[in-house]
Amino acid sequence: MTTRTGTGRHGGDRHRAGRHVAGRRDPGDGPPVLSARRLAWRGLLAARAPAVVLALLAALTAAFLVVTPRAESVALDEAVGDAVAGAPAQARELGLRATTADTFDVPLVSETPDRGPSAPFADVDRALRSVAGPEVQRLLGTPSWAAQSESATIARPDGTTLRPDGSLAVVRVQSDLNRHVRWVSGGAPGAPTTTRSLAPVVTGHVTAVVPVAVADTTARAWGLEVGDPLSLVPSGRLTPLALVVSGTFTATDPADGFWQAEPRMTGLAAIADPQGGIVTEGAVVASADSYGAVSDGLWRTDPATRPVGSPALTASWRYPLRSTALVAADVPLLRRLLVRLDTDTRLDALPGGAVEVTTGLRSVLDGYDASVSSVRVMTSFATAGLSALAALVLALTAVVAVAGRAREVRLVRARGASRGQLLRQVVGGTALPAVPLAALAVVGGVLLVAGSQGAGTWVEVVLVALVPALAATAAVLLTVHAVERDDSGEETVRRARVVRLVRRVVAELAVVAVAAAAVGTVRARGDRIAGGRTDWYAALTPVLVGAVAALVVLRVLPPLVRAAARVAARRRGLVGFLGLARAARTGATAALPVLAVVVGAVVLALLTALTVTVAEQREVAAYRAVGAEVRVDAVRVDADDAAAIAARPGVRRVVRAYVATGAGLVSGRSATAVVVVAVDPAEYATLLRDTPVALAEPPASTGEGLTLLVGPGTATGGDLELTVRGARLPVERVVVDPGLVRLGTGQEEPAVLVPLDRLADLVPSAQPNTAFVEADPGAAAALRGLRDPSSATPSGRVTGIDTVQAAEARVSARALPRLVAGTYLAGAVLAAVLTLLAVALLLVASRPERTALVIRLRTMGMPHGGERALAWTEVLPVVAVAGLAGAGVGAAAPALVAAAVDLAPFTGGSPRPPLPVVPLAAAGAGALVLVLGALALVLDAAAARRSSLADHLRKGDTA
């Protein structure tokens, strides 16, 4: 037998071809062995394009997975400040109130004033700071303290009241007043320097003259000027107090929480008395240095038994939190402080008596924790969906890359390469470059974006980086197995076909079962998931349902496309029929791309649907909080005030109303707290027509009793009564409107629409205090932007103006809504890129067979451009059906996961608003997928035009 030495023509060819496996070696060496590094490098040179795509895609996905939790941690820190700043003043501060026991001693009446008891302010402040500790003290802003008397008659020194209506006042010893006011006349009150006899009000009683400041509106209503002497005449056992006006002021910021503790400091207030009448009350403000003098004037005791604290004054302390200094790590500190404030005995052993905690901070912290849980659920849908989509596209890219090198794998395996060598050459050169680039993207994200992330993030990043290698490994092994197995024989072919069918049916049933279990998990564990128990299985529910939709597409698409092909066969031209016929053969090559396109459409539609729902519910919440496009609040709104507002450019309609909180709808022993909106029902319904809170048809008045339009959840059976300002009014008839709801501090309360004229007849003090305005956006912004709201009306009684635009902006500017909006925007962009790549890979996977068909058709006279037409008719129907199916699932997905989703932190509305199916999201996502498919076809055609003639001929030769 003659042995070839490899020096001949064929032997030399084999020798040169074998260099890919054997490598360079010296004469006489043993079997050729290549290092893993050299094999990987050669594989990388042979598959540069897929390797670059995989590396860039892995880096982009890894960066998203790292940046998202880091941005979330920063937003959660900012959200603590948002929660505190958005809460009422009493809830966002630590409040303490003295609980000094009342005494039955009779106060002394004498002509010798005393310096009075010592103020308890400093003692309680030291005790509170000791309980709080230094960690919490750094979170506290500038404290203030006050002591206030009960309501008393305010009079001239001769005992005559300031107004015939018998105006009442409280004297308030207040610290830190000067920082919050602008002095209109006079100046800040100080310590008393003179005394005055209280005769003829009380004979033989002399007190220090306490300087007091009065709000400018109160001073004008009472006819006071700087220097006017006054007397505070209490009822009961207390003795009168001499006062003098030192100055008048206006609040620099009426919305400042400093004024919320006692609104009477900024103006007169109408207070309902127990008999059903209305009393006008104001406040006169003294310096904290006057505590002893005020107490001595109201309750003089024996100087030998001078106490700390006064039974005539109720002392309070306010420690506002610095919202800008709070972060998420401070929440446990504040919770522990609340426990210490309730249990620490240092606050019970004070010289002036025990104090009680009056803060509402616990509810603010509970609301923050609920917001954290909600945002994690919302971001988990984007993260889980994009992770699954990225894994699919990465795996698809790796599989397509290996399929492009299938001839090389078969050839190298036939020449004796081991499986390890094949994996090092193909997998190492194709997929492993994604690992270092993903690591580099992770490092960049950590360095460039502040924040932190949990251990789960690293698991996701590692899985994403390893998906290409795992998919490429599986593809190589399957290729080798297909080469080496023996498919000869009819029985073997039949058995293989049965095995494939059973395998497909089992896999499809498994996917359906997993998706159904995920939906059941969300519905069963929705409350726990919404409460903070992150469940990635539940977060993948939309993707799993999308996978079921992809299976349906793969089953339904062939007969649909075959029917279209039969129609095309009746028309002239062959390309359309051939393209549709090829599209009908959606085998294993198209399964993974179709799945990726469906999942991409699901993610796009889901993010769009949730974004649209948040925007709609935010608008609804804003209308419920404001009541109309613009709301003007005032002490009273007269007809000329409404006319002045209506005359402003851009204002279309003005409706006067009386709005009162704290009212009740009583039925027997049950009562419902409601917001009373007394207005002309027909005019108000016209003003709200074409808004998200349009009213139902207002009921016609019967002329007897009250006819009400009431919100949901109110008592409507039996004998009904409406309580307003202490009056109990019988109700004749009610009509329920489910949308009649008002919103305040994030809580919904049913509203009651009352005819204003009927209510004014029954309760004369219920005068219009609100103007609901319909205006264009520019006019609304102009009203909201007034530097001095009182200038909006001739009377100058306006206290505040709010608009729907401003209410929406307040919510959207918070950290958590901004985080979700940014995450969804970035997720939608990434999902679009991945979907585009999935369509491009579908084109690449089907290109060899399509090119071979085109070459044959050109020999039959197919005109130039037929290849592009064939690609469009072959690929676009598959993309269209897959995209529409995924878009439908994504649009309906919010309804599937509604049990675990709470949109309140992002809308500013009530918890758990409805999550309907959003057809707009389905249409938009489906259209976008079609556009992406067309873009991929255009890019593929452009790449084909740039290819060389030799490449084109080689494709034809290999075909």
Side-chain angles (χ1 to χ4, degrees), residues 742-766:
R742 284 295 174 266
L743 186 68
T745 64
Q747 298 295 322
E748 282 190 348
E749 206 171 1
V752 172
L753 199 66
V754 187
L756 178 60
D757 53 352
R758 293 285 298 145
L759 184 65
D761 292 340
L762 298 172
V763 184
S765 61

Side-chain angles (χ1 to χ4, degrees), residues 232-576:
L232 188 76
V233 185
S235 60
R237 292 172 293 168
L238 298 181
T239 52
L241 174 66
L243 306 171
V244 64
V245 178
S246 69
T248 62
F249 63 84
T250 59
T252 54
D253 182 8
D256 192 334
F258 177 84
W259 305 105
Q260 294 185 22
E262 181 47 79
R264 285 174 287 189
M265 285 195 291
T266 58
L268 294 176
I271 307 298
D273 64 21
Q275 285 74 35
I278 299 296
V279 180
T280 303
E281 294 192 14
V284 294
V285 187
S287 166
D289 297 332
S290 302
Y291 179 89
V294 172
S295 178
D296 177 69
L298 296 173
W299 190 284
R300 183 166 295 166
T301 60
D302 186 352
T305 58
R306 186 180 298 120
V308 176
S310 170
L313 299 174
T314 301
S316 59
W317 292 256
R318 301 174 64 195
Y319 293 83
L321 290 172
R322 296 169 54 211
S323 59
T324 57
L326 293 170
V327 295
D330 296 324
V331 173
L333 292 177
L334 295 175
R335 288 196 179 277
R336 289 194 292 268
L337 172 64
L338 294 176
V339 175
R340 291 200 300 271
L341 290 176
D342 289 337
T343 59
D344 200 298
T345 58
R346 282 174 286 186
L347 296 177
D348 298 329
L350 296 170
V355 296
E356 62 178 355
V357 180
T358 60
T359 182
L361 184 59
R362 184 172 283 106
S363 63
V364 176
L365 299 181
D366 291 342
Y368 167 76
D369 289 340
S371 299
V372 171
S373 302
S374 298
V375 77
R376 285 176 175 163
V377 171
M378 289 287 283
T379 55
S380 70
F381 289 126
T383 305
L386 286 167
S387 297
L389 179 58
L392 282 173
V393 176
L394 285 169
L396 177 58
T397 306
V399 169
V400 170
V402 173
R405 302 178 63 182
R407 293 182 66 240
E408 177 187 345
V409 170
R410 289 193 292 267
L411 178 61
V412 173
R413 178 61 175 170
R415 292 181 173 176
S418 65
R419 283 186 172 85
Q421 287 178 313
L422 279 173
L423 294 176
R424 286 194 294 271
Q425 180 171 348
V426 178
V427 177
T430 303
L432 289 185
V435 175
L437 201 59
L440 186 62
V442 168
V443 172
V446 171
L447 294 177
L448 297 177
V449 180
S452 60
Q453 67 287 314
T457 299
W458 305 123
V459 175
E460 294 174 11
V461 170
V462 170
L463 290 177
V464 165
L466 293 181
V467 161
L470 296 175
T473 300
V476 170
L477 295 178
L478 289 175
T479 303
V480 172
H481 177 69
V483 171
E484 296 179 348
R485 70 183 176 188
D486 182 12
D487 288 338
S488 61
E490 183 178 349
E491 183 65 27
T492 303
V493 173
R494 186 165 47 253
R495 188 183 303 113
R497 187 179 298 122
V498 172
V499 169
R500 284 196 298 270
L501 177 61
V502 171
R503 188 184 300 156
R504 178 176 179 177
V505 171
V506 171
E508 291 177 353
L509 291 176
V511 171
V512 173
V514 170
V519 173
T521 298
V522 173
R523 292 182 175 178
R525 302 182 65 246
D527 292 338
R528 282 177 287 177
I529 296 171
R533 298 285 297 274
T534 302
D535 192 326
W536 289 107
Y537 182 46
L540 284 171
T541 299
V543 174
L544 295 173
V545 177
V548 175
L551 296 179
V552 174
V553 168
L554 291 172
R555 288 290 190 181
V556 172
L557 184 62
L560 291 178
V561 179
R562 288 193 195 101
R566 285 193 293 271
V567 174
R570 301 190 187 101
R571 299 177 179 271
R572 295 184 62 183
L574 189 61
V575 173

Side-chain angles (χ1 to χ4, degrees), residues 170 172 177 181 183 185 187-190 210-216 218-219 222 224 244-249 265 283-287:
V170 295
R172 184 176 178 87
L177 175 68
V181 301
W183 295 103
S185 60
V210 178
V212 293
V214 185
D216 184 60
T218 303
W222 284 347
L224 297 178
V244 64
V245 178
S246 69
T248 62
F249 63 84
M265 285 195 291
V284 294
V285 187
S287 166

Side-chain angles (χ1 to χ4, degrees), residues 75-115:
L76 293 181
D77 287 339
E78 296 179 7
V80 183
D82 289 342
V84 171
Q90 294 86 348
R92 64 173 183 256
E93 61 191 17
L94 299 177
L96 302 175
R97 183 181 296 273
T99 57
T100 306
D102 193 7
T103 176
F104 295 97
D105 296 338
V106 177
L108 299 178
V109 176
S110 69
E111 297 183 352
T112 307
D114 186 58
R115 60 188 177 90

Side-chain angles (χ1 to χ4, degrees), residues 150-165:
E150 298 292 333
S151 298
T153 302
I154 189 76
R156 301 289 182 181
D158 60 0
T160 60
T161 58
L162 295 180
R163 292 181 60 178
D165 60 2

